[in-house]
Amino acid sequence: MPTAKTIPLARHPYADGSFKQMLIGGGWVDAASGRRFESRNPATGELLATIAEGDAEDINRAVTAARKAFEGPWSKFKPYERQQLLLKLADLVEQHFDELSALDTLDMGAPISRTRGTRLRVLGMLRYYAGQATSIHGETIENSLPGEIFSYTLKEPVGVVGAIIPWNGPLGASIWKIGPVLATGCTVVLKPAEEAPLTPLRFGELALEAGVPAGVLNIVPGYGETAGAALAAHPDVDKVAFTGSHITGQSIIRASAGNLKRVSLELGGKSPDIVFADADIESAVPGAAMAVFANSGQICSAGTRLFVEQRVYDEFVDRVAHFGKGLRVGNGLDPETQIGPLVSEQQLERVTGYLSLGQQEGARAIAGGARLMEGPLAQGYFVPPTVFADVRDDMRIAKEEIFGPVLSAIPFKDLDDLVQRANATMFGLGSGVWTRDVSKAHRLAKAIRAGSVWVNCYQAMDPAVPFGGYKMSGYGRESGLQHVEEYLNVKAVWIKTG
Ligand code: NAI
Ligand code: MG
């Protein structure tokens, strides 16, 4: 397998400028409208592919195929057979991992070191769901009714799933949605993000190669307002699993009302990352920096609000700024790159808008602060790691999700006051605590209202450990035992034996 560095763009086996169709009912087809859209490399602007642009009609075709598959031979698959399918798929993804991670890098910009770095997690996820496939079970439950009447539960797949994913980690996001579908016996229509549809489509080819039956996995690329909205509203979709912004999440809930489909939402955040003076500063500096700069800040649980204990604030924030300035920004295909471009022009505008806003609000940019335009960087959407000091809780840069490499550093004095301030956000996804004091760590782990608390680390993830939000970061959990439950219905069965 050639490494990314030795794959010249034009020779990536998939991102070769060609036309990609959508996957419906086991076959690759054009959009009913015949429309196409482009996918470009955000580091260079180069055309990677043109893609069939799905809309409501294609979504309808895909949902019909998914329903047919749900009711067809797929429903007779034994857990062991679904497990074998997932294991086969995991093996194929493993064989093609370098190609898939390079594709993520090309399509959305993340450094190859990062996309390669997801290897264990991505393969671990598929194999974890494979394990889950043979672990699904109902219960026998003793009841108190008079006479002889026996009760038990069955767990049944919820049906046709609509999965809508963002662009910030297309391979991982695809697997996070498809793993539980295959484990439970559901079928799915996957709507990739318009910014980065290529890896999900390539993943679809591998799924067919693994033997996923026709119609079990359908992939309809297209825009959110058309294809995404049609999927969320479709009357024959039983559940929508969505990852993206809270604004879109709200529209998904409204769209789901028509048939009261189930919804799970992984939304955004404004996660607090808290550094105490007693922390191991040597590890907290890179830890807190990468909590927000990794993937150019395009991570839902990024630690964007850095609360630092007053007496070490200046020194700590300076060191984070220094660390940020030392990170190598560039084309993600270069193995030395640590910070890639933002995904799109729209995201660039959004993030640079916040850079100006922060300065207007009176924060001080002590690292970064403006788009990079030197040499080849001018062709892409590059924003350097940015540290805002002198941030107050009431500034918009301290409250709104920026989704860029932008840190807001805020001092604190008192622990009780800190808890209230850390929780004073509409979101509740991630959080970090850096301290050597075990009692502070436990106290905060309990007090912070968020789905994950990372102590002396950030962004640790594992297929067996649940991930998800409190408050407006959404509901439902991905990974962990609860994840497959979200794709299952519980049926109570009563049998009178007397
Ligand atoms: P988005 O939430 O609009 O897009 C995510 C997915 O939803 C995409 O597949 C999109 O096509 C689809 N979508 C959009 N509108 C839809 C609708 N009305 N019905 C159904 N599906 C729809 O996020 P976008 O526009 O890519 O980014 C905007 C902001 O959202 C970012 O700056 C960031 O703050 C946040 N975001 C958060 C993510 C997270 O992981 N929590 C991921 C992506 C974005
Ligand atoms: Mg959008």
Side-chain angles (χ1 to χ4, degrees):
M1 202 63 210
T3 68
K5 209 176 183 184
T6 60
I7 302 176
L9 172 57
R11 283 202 279 122
H12 187 282
Y14 198 73
D16 57 357
S18 63
F19 171 59
K20 311 293 176 198
Q21 294 171 301
M22 56 182 81
L23 177 59
I24 296 182
W28 296 94
V29 297
D30 288 350
S33 69
R35 276 205 296 272
R36 300 175 175 198
F37 67 107
E38 290 183 339
S39 188
R40 289 184 177 271
N41 181 342
T44 60
E46 285 164 288
L47 182 73
L48 301 171
T50 56
I51 297 131
E53 182 194 324
D55 61 16
E57 196 175 339
D58 306 297
I59 289 290
N60 194 40
R61 286 196 289 165
V63 172
T64 305
R67 175 62 59 192
K68 190 164 160 231
F70 182 68
E71 286 163 1
W74 177 237
S75 65
K76 304 283 186 306
F77 267 58
K78 298 286 183 201
Y80 173 77
E81 293 171 301
R82 297 198 305 270
Q83 178 174 67
Q84 291 308 304
L85 200 56
L86 274 157
L87 291 173
K88 179 86 190 292
L89 183 55
D91 290 347
L92 281 170
V93 170
E94 184 162 29
Q95 277 166 34
H96 293 271
F97 189 77
D98 283 355
E99 181 208 328
L100 291 164
S101 50
L103 199 52
D104 263 6
T105 291
L106 285 168
D107 212 9
M108 55 72 64
I112 194 80
S113 56
R114 175 180 173 81
T115 53
R116 288 260 168 85
T118 63
R119 184 187 186 95
L120 269 181
R121 192 161 79 85
V122 157
L123 297 172
M125 282 199 283
L126 281 167
R127 289 173 179 141
Y128 179 78
Y129 296 115
Q132 295 284 293
T134 54
S135 308
I136 294 163
H137 54 82
E139 294 173 307
T140 61
I141 303 167
E142 224 181 320
N143 64 68
S144 305
L145 295 186
E148 289 174 32
I149 181 162
F150 172 62
S151 49
Y152 65 92
T153 59
L154 292 173
K155 294 275 179 75
E156 296 179 340
V158 72
V160 175
V161 176
I164 302 175
I165 58 169
W167 38 263
N168 53 348
L171 178 60
S174 303
I175 289 173
W176 235 358
K177 301 298 185 217
I178 290 160
V181 161
L182 297 181
T184 55
C186 291
T187 60
V188 66
V189 177
L190 175 72
K191 210 296 282 170
E194 50 270 44
E195 293 85 353
L198 292 181
T199 317
L201 289 168
R202 178 69 184 117
F203 178 82
E205 291 184 348
L206 296 177
L208 293 185
E209 197 179 328
V212 172
V216 170
L217 167 62
N218 306 275
I219 307 178
V220 181
Y223 291 94
E225 296 70 22
T226 49
L231 187 55
H234 200 288
D236 204 30
V237 169
D238 298 295
K239 168 190 165 75
V240 167
F242 172 73
T243 304
S245 67
H246 72 282
I247 303 284
T248 302
Q250 290 172 318
S251 80
I252 302 268
I253 295 175
R254 284 190 290 271
S256 73
N259 70 335
L260 294 172
K261 58 175 67 68
R262 272 213 229 172
V263 175
S264 57
L265 302 169
E266 292 286 352
L267 309 177
K270 191 72 188 176
S271 300
D273 194 12
I274 300 162
V275 179
F276 287 96
D278 65 20
D280 171 8
I281 301 294
E282 293 312 313
S283 69
V285 168
M290 292 316 285
V292 59
F293 299 144
N295 213 27
S296 293
Q298 301 168 126
I299 300 182
C300 46
S301 48
T304 51
R305 283 187 298 148
L306 182 67
F307 288 99
V308 184
E309 193 166 348
Q310 183 79 66
R311 62 195 168 88
V312 294
Y313 177 86
D314 286 332
E315 186 205 332
F316 190 83
V317 174
D318 278 347
R319 287 186 62 177
V320 169
H322 181 73
F323 184 91
K325 287 179 195 164
L327 291 169
R328 289 187 56 153
V329 182
N331 188 322
L333 278 187
D334 180 346
E336 307 279 290
T337 291
Q338 293 164 297
I339 304 292
L342 296 174
V343 71
S344 64
E345 190 169 0
Q346 187 192 327
Q347 201 59 25
L348 176 76
E349 274 166 23
R350 189 186 158 91
V351 172
T352 51
Y354 278 106
L355 296 181
S356 321
L357 178 70
Q359 286 163 40
Q360 279 160 36
E361 287 183 307
R364 199 160 43 90
I366 57 169
R371 179 184 182 182
L372 295 172
M373 292 291 278
E374 301 105 55
L377 295 181
Q379 263 124 49
Y381 310 123
F382 292 95
V383 169
T386 295
V387 175
F388 275 122
D390 304 341
V391 176
R392 290 189 321 270
D393 296 354
D394 63 347
M395 292 181 183
R396 280 179 57 200
I397 56 163
K399 294 203 286 204
E400 296 173 15
E401 181 170 54
I402 299 175
F403 232 60
V406 184
L407 183 74
S408 295
I410 312 170
F412 74 91
K413 273 195 201 125
D414 168 68
L415 200 141
D416 290 313
D417 176 49
L418 166 74
V419 167
Q420 182 273 324
R421 292 167 64 198
N423 283 334
T425 164
M426 68 183 187
F427 296 114
L429 194 56
S431 58
V433 180
W434 301 85
T435 180
R436 284 195 175 97
D437 179 340
V438 74
S439 71
K440 264 186 219 154
H442 280 291
R443 206 171 145 192
L444 281 164
K446 203 158 152 49
I448 291 174
R449 298 200 62 220
S452 297
V453 182
W454 289 289
V455 179
N456 296 330
C457 60
Y458 205 89
Q459 210 69 60
M461 302 272 262
D462 186 273
V465 181
F467 179 84
Y470 279 37
K471 299 191 271 182
M472 286 185 73
S473 293
Y475 42 75
R477 290 293 178 271
E478 293 190 312
S479 296
L481 291 177
Q482 191 185 324
H483 194 184
V484 290
E485 296 293 331
E486 310 220 2
Y487 290 73
L488 294 167
N489 270 324
V490 182
K491 178 185 279 174
V493 181
W494 298 88
I495 302 196
K496 193 159 181 184
T497 53

